[in-house]
């Protein structure tokens, strides 16, 4: 499951074209793309308490692995979301801590790949077999899971009562998590200081390696567990099957499941209604691949997992608007979030990168 550390220039990637510096001030650091979870969760809170503007989130909450880091925003909330964004954007400042706002530009867009429901089970079976054959290291106590990626997100921004959809520039993200989930570190351009920030919060998270090795590898039992845990934390606006699909995607992106569990996750995904194969999808660094996806009709978005066409190695994921939703500022073809895993490894210490002495 190790993703290739190579990062080709995205010359053919329409998502990065035209990302020019913006004269308006962006959202303060830490507002959007903390993996979208912070902004979206706070907006939901604002909807309940009618507070504006929202306060910057200074640290991520620990989450269950089956709780989506990118919470789907209900269509009815887009109006308030724009107002909230406006309040924050015009408040100025970088949010402190040495963070620098990311450059933004026109919304990321893409060609929508054709979906094939009948082809999904066969493709997932092939992906599962490929994952099971991957040789993975067996970590030991004291080590950390290290994941490097490139990410960008899209959001509505309101300035002087005018709302436009803008996208972040593609930027790097590095995460370290201890095997027990009690200690972690994040360095993300535009979201943390250059030195990064702690992710520890006292109690282990279920996506920690030590917890993952205890999950069942029987696909039916695993899916039952995923439904159970996602139901406990699911936003009521997110359909149950979509929440389960997204939950599996979370485990594929920022955790390091053992090979047998990874294979089981793909077989479990094949049992979720509405899952389709996609003939072409592009990750954040421009690598074309095949996709496994599921559409959330209420949000008009399709979540796509992207795999290398030859090796079937997991490359990354993205969310693409495939259906226009009333009151939503996003047009069909907009990429609201994109990522590419560039390296996944076991290291001996937090903040250590692969190949570096401990």
């Amino acid at each position: 499951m190790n993703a290739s550390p190579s990062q080709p220039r995205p010359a053919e990637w329409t998502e990065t074209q035209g990302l020019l510096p913006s004269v308006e001030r962006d959202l303060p650091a830490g507002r959007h793309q903390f993996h979208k979870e912070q902004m979206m969760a706070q907006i939901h809170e604002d909807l309940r308490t009618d507070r504006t503007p929202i306060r910057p989130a200074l640290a991520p909450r620990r989450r269950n692995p089956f709780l989506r880091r990118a919470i789907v925003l209900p269509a009815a909330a887009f109006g308030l979301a724009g107002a909230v964004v406006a309040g924050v954007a015009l408040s100025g400042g970088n949010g402190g801590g040495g963070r620098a706002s990311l450059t933004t530009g026109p919304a990321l867009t893409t060609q929508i790949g054709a979906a094939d429901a009948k082809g999904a089970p066969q493709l997932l079976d092939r992906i599962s077999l490929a994952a099971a054959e991957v040789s993975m290291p067996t970590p030991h106590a004291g080590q950390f899971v290290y994941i490097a990626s490139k990410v960008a997100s899209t959001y509505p921004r309101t300035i002087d009562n005018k709302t436009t959809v803008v996208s972040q520039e593609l930027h790097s993200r590095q995460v370290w998590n201890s095997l027990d989930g009690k200690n972690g570190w994040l360095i993300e351009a535009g979201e943390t200081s250059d030195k990064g920030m702690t992710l520890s919060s006292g109690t282990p998270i279920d996506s920690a390696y030590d917890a993952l090795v205890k999950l069942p590898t029987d696909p039916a039992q695993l899916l039952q567990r995923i439904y159970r845990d996602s139901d406990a934390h699911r936003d009521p606006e997110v359909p149950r099957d979509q929440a389960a699909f997204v939950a599996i995607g979370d485990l594929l992106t920022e955790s390091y499941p053992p090979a047998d569990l990874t294979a089981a996750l793909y077989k479990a995904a094949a049992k979720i209604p509405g899952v389709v194969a996609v003939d072409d999808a592009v990750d954040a660094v421009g690598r074309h691949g095949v996709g496994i996806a599921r559409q959330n009709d209420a949000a008009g978005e399709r979540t796509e997992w992207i795999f290398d066409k030859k090796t079937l190695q997991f490359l990354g994921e993205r969310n693409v608007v495939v259906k226009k939703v009333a009151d939503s500022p996003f047009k069909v073809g907009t990429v609201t979030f994109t990522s590419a895993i560039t390296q996944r490894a076991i290291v001996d210490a937090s903040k250590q990168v692969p190949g570096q002495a401990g």
Side-chain angles (χ1 to χ4, degrees):
M1 226 180 91
N2 290 336
S4 169
S6 62
Q7 299 176 20
R9 292 179 61 85
E12 58 186 340
W13 182 43
T14 59
E15 284 91 328
T16 59
Q17 294 176 3
L19 287 184
L20 302 176
S22 173
V23 297
E24 301 96 339
R25 284 179 292 190
D26 295 335
L27 291 169
R31 284 308 320 129
H32 55 277
Q33 176 53 27
F34 207 153
H35 244 52
K36 296 193 288 187
E37 180 183 17
Q38 299 305 309
M39 174 181 163
M40 296 297 101
Q42 189 64 60
I43 288 173
H44 281 293
E45 179 64 22
D46 286 334
L47 286 171
R48 289 192 293 268
T49 61
D50 194 28
R51 291 182 292 108
T52 56
I54 54 180
R55 297 189 300 271
L58 298 181
R61 295 186 302 273
R62 282 297 189 185
R63 64 179 178 87
N64 182 285
F66 308 127
L67 176 60
R68 176 60 167 163
R69 54 192 160 74
I71 299 174
V72 178
L73 184 66
F78 277 117
L80 178 56
V84 170
V85 170
V88 176
L90 296 179
S91 66
N94 286 332
R99 300 182 181 95
S101 296
L102 289 167
T103 299
T104 57
L108 310 180
T109 60
T110 191
Q111 294 292 322
I112 299 174
D116 177 15
K118 294 182 178 179
Q122 182 180 6
L123 178 57
L124 278 165
D125 186 60
R126 291 172 53 213
I127 292 171
S128 178
L129 291 173
E133 295 177 356
V134 173
S135 177
M136 299 175 62
T138 301
H140 57 74
Q143 291 188 308
F144 284 72
V145 171
Y146 169 78
I147 299 172
S149 60
K150 294 284 189 178
V151 300
S153 63
T154 301
Y155 59 96
R157 181 174 62 187
T158 300
I159 296 177
D160 295 332
N161 295 320
K162 181 180 179 180
T163 299
T164 57
V165 174
V166 297
S167 293
Q168 297 171 323
E169 62 181 339
L170 192 67
H171 61 279
S172 62
R173 177 179 170 91
Q174 294 174 290
V175 175
W176 292 262
N177 273 303
S178 61
L179 303 185
D180 60 9
K182 293 182 180 179
N183 298 290
W185 194 257
L186 168 69
I187 299 176
E188 181 171 354
E191 307 294 352
T192 70
S193 68
D194 291 341
K195 294 182 179 180
M197 65 181 292
T198 183
L199 293 180
S200 45
S201 69
T203 58
I205 56 173
D206 289 344
S207 57
Y209 184 87
D210 288 350
L212 294 179
V213 297
K214 298 176 182 178
L215 290 175
T217 55
D218 175 81
Q221 294 178 13
L222 180 59
L223 184 58
Q224 184 179 18
R225 172 71 178 271
I226 291 169
Y227 273 121
R228 187 194 74 186
D229 287 359
S230 61
D231 280 347
H233 300 276
R234 178 170 56 91
D235 186 303
E237 298 288 342
V238 181
R240 187 171 187 253
D241 291 328
Q242 183 69 13
F245 181 82
V246 166
I248 294 175
D250 281 349
L251 293 184
L252 298 174
T253 52
E254 284 201 344
S255 65
Y256 203 170
D260 59 346
L261 178 60
T262 301
L265 286 168
Y266 292 130
K267 290 185 177 180
K271 298 178 180 295
I272 299 175
V275 173
V276 300
V278 177
D279 63 348
D280 184 66
V282 190
D283 75 359
V285 295
R287 297 175 296 195
H288 282 261
V290 292
I292 291 294
R294 193 179 190 284
Q295 181 174 325
N296 181 353
D297 289 327
E301 286 194 4
R302 188 167 75 187
T303 299
E304 300 178 346
W305 305 338
I306 305 165
F307 301 87
D308 184 273
K309 291 183 178 181
K310 293 182 178 179
T311 67
L312 299 180
Q313 180 182 60
F314 180 77
L315 299 178
E317 70 171 352
R318 67 179 183 177
N319 290 344
V320 180
V321 177
V322 294
K323 184 181 74 171
K324 180 62 179 175
V325 174
D327 298 324
S328 168
F330 299 129
K331 297 179 180 179
V332 172
T334 301
V335 178
T336 59
F337 174 74
T338 183
S339 71
I341 304 298
T342 56
Q343 195 166 25
R344 196 188 306 258
I346 302 297
V347 296
D348 292 329
S350 180
K351 308 176 195 176
Q352 177 184 339
V353 297
Q356 182 183 64

